[in-house]
Amino acid sequence: MIRQENFVYSFKIQEMQLYKIKEDVIITTKDYLSRRFSLKSWVIYVFGRWILLSGIAGALMQYLLSDMLKIHTIPAFLLNQFILANVFWFIDKAIFKGYFSIPHITLWQIEKNVKCADCGTVGEGYRVVKAKNYDRLNDPEPEFRCPTCRERKLEELRKRGIEV
């Protein structure tokens, strides 16, 4: 079982992409995307961003460049597209920031009935799999720790400058 704190994290089980959104809630990619991209947000994006901003701003910019400034149609169109692309780069970046940002998270692997690498007790074992500046995802010999030793290991990682 793989768990992280306070964030959605994706993982694969038998080639099916799954997302853990709460402690005991795991959903598929289709369900995850339907939660992220609703019809309401799509309609607002299409009409607000594309029709109102791009369509009207593009028409006004074309009018300004070709009719008011007397630039020929094709160069005015290219200049229009260049100017609006630069403006909408920042608008789109702000719109999609929440959808595609990847937070730095701590990913844990929890196993039952494993031997603690430090004290040797058998029970539920924990290991940090991935954190900022720390990646043991493909570790061939993972070391699990009991809850007590886990805290000591976390302090050791923090002293080494790893954000856990």
Side-chain angles (χ1 to χ4, degrees):
M1 176 171 138
I2 297 177
R3 178 172 73 195
Q4 88 296 331
E5 303 298 326
N6 300 326
F7 291 103
V8 174
Y9 196 85
S10 66
F11 55 96
K12 285 188 176 182
I13 295 179
Q14 297 177 349
E15 297 304 315
M16 183 168 58
Q17 193 75 23
L18 299 173
Y19 294 87
K20 187 165 193 113
I21 58 172
K22 289 184 182 173
E23 181 61 33
D24 297 318
V25 179
I26 297 175
I27 59 176
T28 64
T29 302
K30 180 182 174 187
D31 295 331
Y32 178 67
L33 290 176
S34 69
R35 288 171 184 238
R36 296 281 296 209
F37 299 103
S38 67
L39 182 61
K40 179 183 173 186
S41 64
W42 179 81
V43 168
I44 291 170
Y45 176 73
V46 168
F47 286 101
R49 158 62 171 94
W50 283 103
I51 294 174
L52 292 177
L53 293 176
S54 294
I56 294 172
L60 290 174
M61 186 67 77
Q62 185 69 23
Y63 172 75
L64 173 73
L65 294 172
S66 63
D67 293 346
M68 302 293 281
L69 297 176
K70 304 295 184 206
I71 300 174
H72 292 289
T73 304
I74 299 297
F77 175 75
L78 295 174
L79 186 58
N80 173 8
Q81 292 299 305
F82 177 74
I83 292 169
L84 290 177
N86 286 306
V87 170
F88 288 118
W89 165 260
F90 295 103
I91 292 172
D92 287 344
K93 193 173 174 183
I95 290 171
F96 292 113
K97 186 177 189 179
Y99 287 108
F100 299 111
S101 63
I102 300 171
H104 294 291
I105 61 170
T106 302
L107 180 65
W108 291 85
Q109 183 176 0
I110 303 167
E111 295 290 332
K112 305 255 186 229
N113 299 322
V114 293
K115 187 176 180 182
C116 177
D118 293 341
C119 67
T121 60
V122 176
E124 190 172 58
Y126 301 87
R127 80 178 184 112
V128 175
V129 178
K130 196 167 179 66
K132 187 176 183 181
N133 302 326
Y134 185 86
D135 186 1
R136 299 290 189 270
L137 199 58
N138 298 317
D139 191 358
E141 295 181 24
E143 295 181 350
F144 292 91
R145 288 174 173 72
C146 66
T148 308
C149 297
R150 173 186 75 171
E151 294 304 319
R152 276 185 258 146
K153 180 67 175 181
L154 286 174
E155 284 304 314
E156 176 190 323
L157 292 174
R158 286 183 186 115
K159 286 178 184 175
R160 289 180 11 205
I162 297 168
E163 295 178 25
V164 220

